[in-house]
Amino acid sequence: MSIVMINIFLVTMMVVIAVMVLRTRRLFAAIVMTGAYSLISAAMFVNLDAVDVAFTEAAVGAGISTVLLLAAMARLPAEEKPVKRNQIGPMIIVAIVGILLVTAVVALPPFGAPDSPVHTHVGPRYIAESYSKLHIPNAVTTVLASYRGFDTLGETIVIFAAGLGVVLLLAGHTKTAPAPHQPAVKTVKAKTKTAPKSQKASKKKAGAKKTGKRGAKKGGAS
Amino acid sequence: MSENPVFRVTTKILFAPIIVYGLYVQFHGDFGPGGGFQAGVIIAAAFILYGLVFGMAALRRLAPPKIVAVFMAIGVLLYSGVGVANLLLGGNFLDYNTIDHHDPAHGQHIGILLVEAGVGITVTSVMMVLFFAFASYGDPKADEERP
């Protein structure tokens, strides 16, 4: 009973925070509330006995991504622009997706049902063998690193690719700053305080080093 | 960068324990919740905290972005290297049993340890690289040190 009460409290909090994130126009408040949302979902996962997931959610969702979003926000205006466009189209799409999701949830087997496909396929074998054969008490680790090692390799490569993509996209932005891009930057407005200054500074530097060094660096990074 | 002594002293006190906790999560993943992903994020969080309090220049001295970027690849190479080693030892890709033919469970332990270490290295360095990229975006001083 108490667990149900806790769940109701957590879900209510999540809905309230989600609505607040949507309502606010201040990016700082929105980011901090997103972090709080992640922390509450972490508590939710603990309640569902998914401690590993909760751990990740608290560290990544509430910790790192909040910091990264704040760092990105420092380059943006503090307030979101009010939306003026007609929003009926998006509303219809959201409503359709919402209805589909709710029907899908209704069709799912009940929570924790022992005869659901998750608990009748390979799951029991993993749980039974994890300790008796591999002598590792945490079945999550054996599934993640051994039984499903190939998937985890894929995940690691995805993270690596994401890091590489960010490096290639963001690094050297100030260095190259080519002429055709400048009007585009200006239309975004000088609200990004550092942009004009840094571009000027980088232009001086870029002239001499641009071609040779950039080329060499790109080669090294990829 | 913060001149507030509370932040500076707290960060200096917390920096090492956070990393030790990250290593605990990394190597205790067999017995409790945790593993490479979580440990990587926790260790990266220690460095990010350092960067937030002492400034990006100090963090760049502590962990040069070029070296951190190399570690992104080292983690993936360590992971896939274990798989290739299994192939060379006569098994399937990522079949850790081949590491120790007499005691497959021991082979699994070593394989999982190495693979999780690879995940941890990649996650730590990617998180730090992301922080470097976002926090010093548009900062011309950072150009020389970019990965």
Side-chain angles (χ1 to χ4, degrees):
Chain A
M1 186 61 204
S2 61
I3 286 194
V4 174
M5 293 299 289
I6 294 172
N7 272 337
I8 291 172
F9 172 73
L10 291 177
V11 171
T12 319
M13 286 292 285
M14 283 164 86
V15 172
V16 168
I17 291 178
V19 172
M20 280 163 73
V21 170
L22 282 177
R23 301 288 304 170
T24 184
R25 292 260 167 257
R26 288 190 305 149
L27 292 179
F28 183 81
I31 291 168
V32 171
M33 281 192 281
T34 318
Y37 185 91
S38 287
L39 208 57
I40 290 174
S41 359
M44 192 86 185
F45 289 133
V46 172
N47 222 353
L48 293 168
D49 281 339
V51 197
D52 285 82
V53 186
F55 209 157
T56 319
E57 180 67 43
V60 179
I64 302 264
S65 50
T66 309
V67 172
L68 288 181
L69 283 170
L70 285 175
M73 195 204 75
R75 317 285 161 204
L76 294 171
E79 290 208 5
E80 187 188 353
K81 271 190 202 157
V83 186
K84 285 170 202 152
R85 275 177 294 122
N86 193 353
Q87 287 185 306
I88 291 178
M91 282 288 270
I92 293 170
I93 293 173
V94 168
I96 292 172
V97 172
I99 291 167
L100 286 176
L101 283 176
V102 169
T103 37
V105 167
V106 172
L108 282 177
F111 177 70
D115 57 342
S116 66
V118 194
H119 297 125
T120 51
H121 192 46
V122 285
R125 184 167 78 83
Y126 292 165
I127 293 167
E129 280 185 4
S130 177
Y131 193 69
S132 62
K133 267 186 147 179
L134 271 59
H135 310 304
I136 293 174
N138 186 2
V140 176
T141 300
T142 49
V143 171
L144 197 88
S146 182
Y147 290 112
R148 291 267 169 259
F150 211 87
D151 294 1
T152 311
L153 176 62
E155 282 174 44
T156 314
I157 291 173
V158 165
I159 293 176
F160 172 66
L164 210 59
V166 168
V167 168
L168 291 177
L169 276 175
L170 293 188
H173 165 84
T174 55
K175 224 179 222 179
T176 40
H181 282 301
Q182 255 192 331
V185 172
K186 269 186 184 161
T187 48
V188 179
K189 263 187 194 166
K191 272 183 192 172
T192 48
K193 275 182 244 158
T194 49
K197 214 206 301 180
S198 64
Q199 267 181 5
K200 249 185 250 163
S202 64
K203 254 195 186 170
K204 266 185 246 158
K205 273 193 208 167
K209 296 176 194 168
K210 190 165 53 180
T211 45
K213 221 177 172 187
R214 273 296 290 168
K217 269 189 181 175
K218 256 193 184 165
S222 62
Chain B
M1 177 145 146
S2 168
E3 294 298 331
N4 189 328
V6 175
F7 287 138
R8 297 177 77 91
V9 172
T10 314
T11 307
K12 279 186 178 173
I13 292 172
L14 281 180
F15 185 71
I18 293 175
I19 291 180
V20 171
Y21 181 61
L23 291 173
Y24 165 79
V25 170
Q26 169 85 51
F27 294 110
H28 205 254
D30 292 2
F31 307 101
F37 284 99
Q38 293 91 335
V41 174
I42 290 170
I43 294 172
F47 285 98
I48 289 175
L49 176 68
Y50 189 91
L52 287 175
V53 174
F54 294 104
M56 290 308 289
L59 182 59
R60 267 186 237 113
R61 277 198 302 279
L62 182 70
K66 279 178 189 167
I67 296 172
V68 175
V70 170
F71 274 97
M72 295 200 304
I74 288 178
V76 175
L77 283 177
L78 178 59
Y79 199 136
S80 40
V82 172
V84 174
N86 294 141
L87 282 179
L88 295 178
L89 286 167
N92 289 325
F93 190 67
L94 293 175
D95 177 8
Y96 313 134
N97 286 350
T98 55
I99 294 173
D100 190 340
H101 280 290
H102 308 290
D103 184 6
H106 186 229
Q108 289 280 347
H109 283 209
I110 295 174
I112 290 174
L113 193 78
L114 289 174
V115 157
E116 291 278 4
V119 174
I121 291 169
T122 295
V123 172
T124 309
S125 43
V126 167
M127 291 299 163
M128 287 171 67
V129 160
L130 290 182
F131 181 65
F132 278 127
F134 280 102
S136 48
Y137 179 72
D139 176 9
K141 265 188 261 170
D143 274 357
E144 300 304 316
E145 293 288 330
R146 279 202 199 285

